[in-house]
Amino acid sequence: MLSHPFDDDKLREECGVFGVIGVQDAASFVALGLHALQHRGQEAGGIVAYCPQEGFSSARRFGYVRDNFTSASLMETLPGQLAIGHVRYSTAGSKGNTQIRDVQPLFAEFQMGGCAIAHNGNLTNALALREELIAHGSIFQSGSDTECIIHLMARSIQKTIPERLKDALRRVEGAFSIVAMTRTKLIGVRDALGVRPLMLGRLGDGWALASETCALDIIGAEFVREIEPGEMVMVEDGRLQSFFPFQPRRPRFCIFEHVYFSRPDSVIGGRSVYETRRRIGMELAREAPVEADLVCPVPDSGTPAAIGYSQQSGIPYAMGIIRNQYMGRTFIEPSEQIRNMGVRLKLNVNRAVIAGKRVVLVDDSVVRGTTSRKIREMVMDAGAAEVHFRIASPPTMWPCFYGVDTPDRAKLLAATMSEEDMRRHLGVDSLRFVSLDGLYRACGSEEGRDQRNPQFCDACFSGDYPVRPTDMIERGFDAPVPAE
């Protein structure tokens, strides 16, 4: 596992997907796209490619894209003009236990040919489906919920792989953005709520699908549009077809993509992620002003919001905390002495800037609070006169079941403490979160959150789950009842 042990105080996306068709050395383009999506998953990656002469070929590796898919000898084994790929971050229950067979894309050979699937999201009825499929004779090879889709496709009576995929996806619940391929087709699908992102790009005569626009940028592709919630697109022989195989529903895109998951240089819903995060900081400054000398981000995710807070409040912006960008793999298995250094391995306080100052620290979220406490200690040790935390998201009170690695609810600080209790626990002079309405305003909903028909999925803040988490309820999770 390559994610750092001190990074577990953040919510983590579980994966990113990318695919191209109609370009020479498609797998190399996929490798570049996955590199741009590395923030969505650092544990493992995989690529499947197809060429008529050699058929399907695949490579799955643990670790970073740069350490595996930059090898010329490896990329030569993935020829063809059609390829898809996936980067993975393991779920909470499988950290450190992932097998190579769990790494996507997953591949299956059907009567009408092969098919590879890469999935971003989470199926909330995967356990129930798995039990049903095993009872009817299916034999699973991985622990991935994506394999349920393959077995459902195998049981379908439809005559083509795209129709079987539609059949299978009508049976699943939860959130999914899928990139799939056959021998001749590149396929992209989003669930009816559109919880997870999926983008369409044009690359000369070819096409590309990606979790984010930044991955299209890296290969020089032109962003065309987002795949619509509930839409399936299929590219073959340079032609794009669009279908809507699911019952229409009011979209509920994941609002945390705007807050943290997506790269700030991506565009979502026609809005710059960077600009949205800057506006969150401005909302924070309006909602939670404070007398202070400096506004400092907790790098790197707090930076755009800190800039917005500074601009709105008039308090000078400063880089009071510096991130060590090259910690990388040095401390994969740190000694106990090094582990006790905590966040000092990746963050260091700029003492000359902080000393004697009243500091506003802006971060994107507070999950367990362990990192926040250590940062406060570091800033105080550097001589800060006061420390005020401003958080660019509402309190994270509920776990996510739609493709985000979230701790049990009992480990979420905001689920067990009031804001004042959290302030005392963190040891800061003040603590304020942006309101849910303020977050919505920053995301373009000027009237704030529509309580009856929320514009986004915000279950981690509100407990309003747009899809019933069937498997978790069966295991004892007490899901709140949505307000009427």
Side-chain angles (χ1 to χ4, degrees):
M1 177 93 177
L2 293 185
S3 60
H4 195 273
F6 306 122
D7 283 342
D8 66 353
D9 200 23
K10 294 290 184 185
L11 301 184
R12 296 291 178 183
E13 255 287 9
E14 286 177 14
C15 46
V17 294
F18 194 87
V20 293
I21 188 172
V23 297
Q24 293 294 330
D25 300 318
S28 295
F29 285 92
V30 171
L32 287 169
L34 294 181
H35 180 75
L37 298 173
Q38 189 76 86
H39 59 289
R40 301 183 76 91
Q42 298 90 49
E43 186 188 32
I47 296 176
V48 174
Y50 178 82
C51 77
Q53 293 75 29
E54 299 188 29
F56 287 95
S57 54
S58 68
R60 294 184 284 181
R61 298 289 189 274
F62 288 116
Y64 295 125
V65 174
R66 70 179 185 222
D67 295 328
N68 292 301
F69 295 101
T70 53
S71 163
S73 58
L74 175 63
M75 299 311 294
E76 287 171 359
T77 68
L78 300 168
Q81 297 189 25
L82 171 57
I84 66 172
H86 185 273
V87 286
R88 169 190 173 89
Y89 186 90
S90 67
T91 59
S94 60
K95 279 181 181 164
N97 298 319
T98 299
Q99 304 295 319
I100 198 68
R101 61 177 177 267
D102 294 325
V103 180
Q104 299 183 47
L106 299 185
F107 177 79
E109 193 76 55
F110 298 100
Q111 183 180 11
M112 63 286 296
C115 176
I117 298 178
H119 167 216
N120 172 28
N122 189 56
L123 307 184
T124 56
N125 65 335
L127 293 178
L129 285 173
R130 192 182 186 96
E131 290 175 1
E132 174 191 326
L133 288 162
I134 290 173
H136 286 85
S138 294
I139 299 172
F140 280 74
Q141 301 294 321
S142 77
S144 172
D145 57 354
T146 310
E147 193 173 356
C148 288
I149 298 171
I150 288 174
H151 286 288
L152 289 169
M153 291 173 66
R155 296 181 63 82
S156 171
I157 62 172
Q158 298 299 322
K159 302 300 183 184
T160 68
I161 288 176
E163 290 302 317
R164 289 191 174 204
L165 182 59
K166 291 179 189 177
D167 250 9
L169 294 179
R170 291 186 185 111
R171 288 284 318 276
V172 306
E173 299 170 5
F176 55 83
S177 282
I178 287 173
V179 171
M181 60 181 280
T182 68
R183 289 172 293 186
T184 59
K185 301 177 179 67
L186 177 66
I187 302 168
V189 198
R190 280 180 84 187
D191 68 82
L193 291 173
V195 177
R196 306 254 71 87
L198 190 60
M199 311 296 174
L200 177 68
R202 196 74 198 259
L203 184 62
D205 294 330
W207 295 84
L209 291 166
S211 290
E212 294 183 39
T213 59
C214 66
L216 299 175
D217 295 338
I218 200 173
I219 65 167
E222 175 192 0
F223 171 61
V224 176
R225 64 177 177 87
E226 296 186 19
I227 304 304
E228 296 292 326
E231 183 182 16
M232 171 187 277
V233 295
M234 187 167 65
V235 182
E236 185 175 22
D237 295 327
R239 296 189 301 273
L240 178 77
Q241 292 180 282
S242 172
F243 311 91
F244 287 86
F246 313 118
Q247 189 72 26
R249 297 186 63 182
R250 182 183 294 271
R252 294 284 297 274
F253 182 69
C254 171
I255 202 166
F256 219 93
E257 290 279 356
H258 288 289
V259 173
Y260 178 73
F261 296 139
S262 295
R263 261 180 38 173
D265 52 334
S266 286
V267 175
I268 298 174
R271 299 178 62 83
S272 157
V273 174
Y274 170 86
E275 180 60 20
T276 296
R277 290 175 188 170
R278 189 185 69 85
R279 289 187 55 173
I280 295 172
M282 295 176 70
E283 288 286 341
L284 253 177
R286 285 190 282 264
E287 294 181 352
V290 65
E291 291 188 7
D293 303 308
L294 294 175
V295 175
C296 300
V298 176
D300 292 313
S301 54
T303 301
I307 291 171
Y309 194 101
S310 172
Q311 291 172 339
Q312 180 65 32
S313 66
I315 302 170
Y317 172 90
M319 293 297 291
I321 301 174
I322 307 300
R323 184 179 183 91
N324 175 12
Q325 302 287 354
Y326 301 100
M327 183 183 63
R329 305 178 67 177
T330 307
F331 300 112
I332 294 173
E333 296 178 358
S335 67
E336 188 61 28
Q337 181 182 3
I338 291 173
R339 186 182 296 275
N340 289 338
M341 294 178 187
V343 293
R344 294 178 192 272
L345 286 166
K346 63 177 182 177
L347 301 175
N348 190 44
V349 176
N350 192 350
R351 187 178 298 268
V353 169
I354 292 291
K357 299 296 196 302
R358 299 169 297 173
V359 181
V360 179
L361 291 179
V362 180
D363 204 355
D364 62 273
S365 59
V366 173
V367 182
R368 294 176 175 90
T370 52
T371 300
S372 299
R373 291 186 71 177
K374 292 172 182 175
I375 290 172
R376 178 262 178 197
E377 291 169 5
M378 291 166 57
V379 172
M380 292 302 293
D381 288 347
E386 296 176 4
V387 178
H388 304 271
F389 263 122
R390 294 296 180 266
I391 309 302
S393 63
T396 304
M397 300 181 66
W398 297 91
C400 174
F401 303 121
Y402 307 131
V404 178
D405 177 34
T406 314
D408 294 334
R409 187 163 191 244
K411 295 181 181 178
L412 295 171
L413 206 64
T416 58
M417 294 185 183
S418 68
E419 192 169 292
E420 175 58 21
D421 289 337
M422 293 172 70
R423 183 197 69 78
R424 287 196 294 264
H425 175 77
L426 298 177
V428 293
D429 293 279
S430 71
L431 170 68
R432 292 289 301 275
F433 296 80
V434 73
S435 68
L436 193 52
D437 281 333
L439 176 57
Y440 269 76
R441 285 191 293 269
C443 292
S445 300
E446 297 300 332
E447 301 302 315
R449 185 181 194 264
D450 183 338
Q451 301 298 327
R452 295 185 64 85
N453 294 296
Q455 305 92 310
F456 294 96
C457 176
D458 54 26
C460 55
F461 307 131
S462 66
D464 181 359
Y465 291 97
V467 179
R468 185 174 184 268
T470 304
D471 289 339
M472 298 308 298
I473 291 173
E474 291 292 324
R475 294 162 74 177
F477 176 73
D478 187 14
V481 178
E484 292 296 330

